[in-house]
Amino acid sequence: MTALIHALRRDHRNHDRLLAVLERQINQSKSGAEPDYEVIQGIVDYFLTYPAKHHHPKEDLVFRRLEEAAPETATLIGDLEREHIACDAHLRAFAGAVSAALGSGVVFRETFNRAADAFVSAQREHMSKEERVFFPLVEKHLREEDLLDLDERLAAGSDPIFDDDGESRFDAIRQDLVKWGRETVTVSLSAGQH
C-alpha cells in the first residue's frame, strides 16, 4: 500500500472517530438533553475545511488517474466527484441547522437531528464504498509509480485535529475524543469483570 492510500485510509479512520463523537452529541439531543454545540460546531468546521479542501480533492485526482489507466474499472466505482458533492450538500445542510441553533436558536430539534443523521449516514456510506471498492481497485490497477507521482504533486495539508500541530480552535473536540476514549476503556473493563 502506498503512502497516499495509507494517508487516505487514516483520514477515514479519523473521520469515523469524529462521526462517532457527533453521533454521541446528537443522541443527547434526541434524548432531550442539550448537546455540546462547541464540539458540534468544531466538527462541522473541520469537515468544511480539511476533507473538503484536502482529502476529497486527493481522492478525485486518484480517481481521474484510475479512469485514465483502467476506464472500464473506474465505471465500477461510479461518479466519485458527484458523491463528494452530495456529501458536501449534506454537510452544508447540517451546518445551516447548527448555525440556526447557535444564532437565532430557532430550529426544530427534529430538523436538527434529521440533518445530522443525513450527514453522518452520507459520510459513512461514502467512506465505506471507498474502502470496499475504490481503494482496492486503485491498488490493483494503478502502478506504484502512478501513486507516488500523485503523492508528490499533492499538497500535504495539515489535519487541524489529528496532526501534532493541530489548531487550538479544535481543542474541545480533542478533549471530547480523549474523554470518550477513557469512558470506552472503563466500560470495556467493567464489562469484562462480570
Side-chain angles (χ1 to χ4, degrees), residues 81-117:
E81 289 182 57
R82 185 176 304 268
E83 285 187 30
H84 288 156
I85 291 168
C87 285
D88 187 60
H90 286 290
L91 170 60
R92 293 197 183 280
F94 179 51
V98 171
S99 182
L102 292 173
S104 65
V106 180
V107 64
F108 290 108
R109 192 174 293 263
E110 185 178 312
T111 302
F112 178 83
N113 293 339
R114 221 179 7 249
D117 287 342

Side-chain angles (χ1 to χ4, degrees), residues 61-82:
L61 283 174
V62 171
F63 180 70
R64 281 189 222 116
R65 182 65 62 95
L66 180 63
E67 283 181 313
E68 293 168 4
E72 66 291 341
T73 298
T75 61
L76 298 172
I77 298 164
D79 192 340
L80 192 66
E81 289 182 57
R82 185 176 304 268

Side-chain angles (χ1 to χ4, degrees), residues 132-143:
R132 288 181 295 104
V133 180
F134 178 48
F135 294 155
L137 288 174
V138 165
E139 290 176 318
K140 181 177 180 181
H141 293 281
L142 288 184
R143 298 170 307 158

Side-chain angles (χ1 to χ4, degrees), residues 8-80:
L8 292 172
R9 284 190 160 135
R10 182 189 62 235
D11 284 349
H12 281 183
R13 288 189 303 275
N14 290 338
H15 298 168
D16 191 56
R17 290 173 63 198
L18 292 175
L19 293 172
V21 167
L22 180 59
E23 283 178 315
R24 214 169 51 138
Q25 294 296 329
I26 300 311
N27 286 337
Q28 284 184 274
S29 175
K30 288 178 180 177
S31 70
E34 282 298 307
D36 185 334
Y37 285 105
E38 182 181 4
V39 169
I40 292 172
Q41 182 64 59
I43 291 171
V44 167
D45 289 346
Y46 173 85
F47 274 93
L48 286 169
T49 54
Y50 184 75
K53 294 181 180 173
H54 297 285
H55 179 84
H56 289 161
K58 286 180 185 180
E59 290 175 335
D60 291 341
L61 283 174
V62 171
F63 180 70
R64 281 189 222 116
R65 182 65 62 95
L66 180 63
E67 283 181 313
E68 293 168 4
E72 66 291 341
T73 298
T75 61
L76 298 172
I77 298 164
D79 192 340
L80 192 66

